[in-house]
Amino acid sequence: MKKGQIDFYYFVIAMSLLALGLIMVFSSSSESARIEWGDAYYFAKRQILFAVCGIIAMYVLSKFDYHRFGKLSFPLLIVAALLLVAVLLIGQKVKGGQRWIPIGSFSFQPSEAAKVAIILFFSHSLSKNTKVLEKFWTGFVLYLLVLGVFAGLLMKQPHFSGTVVIVLVGLILLFTAGAKTWHLLIIGLIGIAGGAGLIVSAPYRIKRVISFLDPFQDK
């Protein structure tokens, strides 16, 4: 593919997911937005604004050689980790979760930066050393430690869904890079047991699971 050329199929997939996300935001927030703000489209309009900014950023970044981001992957990883620490110290607490850093009239969620940082760091590092995952303790486990640090900082907020996303993305990248199946199975079993324990430990998480399994129980 030529530099700057857009992959049509990936573009359609990305836009479809974006449209679906906007629909879901409106579906889940319209009634509370109408009650709290007097405008059923309050949250939807904000998300549309962010979506437009995201599309513009996507277009601008498509003009850059993505290989250049590899050199920034480790510094970005450190910055993301520091932001996760910062949100625990100066973050805004909303409904029991301290996940946002206020910046004027807006607020910033460091977990989003963490997702990008993990993807860039893992992709760049693993592409430079394709055989590192052949070793368990000096290869595979080192990447798990990085995921563990980020997961621990996220759970301190607490941000369970963000933790699940980042850990899954990291494991998918490790699998794609050639991690041994039995290594992933061991971590997967530990992760399932740990995740189940975290769900059971918080009543609101149990309620979410129940609502997901039977959404019509509480219309």
Side-chain angles (χ1 to χ4, degrees):
M1 183 177 293
K2 296 180 181 179
K3 181 179 177 181
Q5 184 177 351
I6 296 175
D7 188 307
F8 176 76
Y9 294 105
Y10 277 114
F11 178 76
V12 170
I13 291 171
M15 291 300 100
S16 298
L17 289 171
L18 178 61
L20 181 62
L22 292 172
I23 293 170
M24 292 298 103
V25 166
F26 175 68
S27 174
S28 62
S29 67
S30 58
E31 187 60 18
S32 59
R34 184 186 64 80
I35 294 172
E36 295 178 25
W37 301 94
D39 179 7
Y41 297 92
Y42 177 80
F43 294 112
K45 287 188 288 189
R46 287 171 62 88
Q47 286 299 116
I48 290 172
L49 173 62
F50 293 138
V52 171
C53 292
I55 292 172
I56 294 172
M58 181 177 68
Y59 175 76
V60 172
L61 288 173
S62 72
K63 301 301 178 182
F64 289 88
D65 182 356
Y66 70 89
H67 293 92
R68 295 180 180 178
F69 293 114
K71 297 178 181 178
L72 300 174
S73 61
F74 184 71
L76 286 174
L77 188 76
I78 299 301
V79 170
L82 292 175
L83 286 172
L84 289 177
V85 173
V87 76
L88 297 175
L89 301 174
I90 62 172
Q92 184 179 22
K93 199 165 188 175
V94 179
K95 296 183 178 180
Q98 195 163 328
R99 307 172 186 173
W100 303 84
I101 296 178
I103 304 175
S105 58
F106 290 92
S107 55
F108 170 69
Q109 197 170 18
S111 61
E112 298 302 317
K115 294 173 186 175
V116 176
I118 286 291
I119 291 171
L120 286 176
F121 176 73
F122 274 43
S123 299
H124 178 68
S125 176
L126 291 167
S127 66
K128 290 295 182 181
N129 190 355
T130 56
K131 295 184 178 181
V132 68
L133 294 178
E134 292 179 0
K135 299 177 181 179
F136 184 74
W137 293 108
T138 58
F140 184 72
V141 170
L142 293 179
Y143 288 93
L144 292 184
L145 288 175
V146 174
L147 286 178
V149 170
F150 276 76
L153 290 171
L154 284 166
M155 287 306 299
K156 289 289 289 183
Q157 298 180 9
H159 194 351
F160 182 69
S161 59
T163 304
V164 171
V165 169
I166 283 180
V167 170
L168 282 178
V169 166
L171 292 177
I172 289 170
L173 287 170
L174 291 174
F175 171 75
T176 305
K180 293 182 179 180
T181 305
W182 70 272
H183 290 171
L184 292 169
L185 284 175
I186 291 173
I187 298 304
L189 291 173
I190 295 173
I192 291 172
L198 289 171
I199 291 172
V200 173
S201 66
Y204 76 92
R205 293 181 191 140
I206 297 175
K207 289 180 179 179
R208 285 184 177 180
V209 173
I210 293 173
S211 296
F212 174 76
L213 296 175
D214 187 5
F216 297 103
Q217 188 180 55
D218 185 6
K219 295 181 181 180

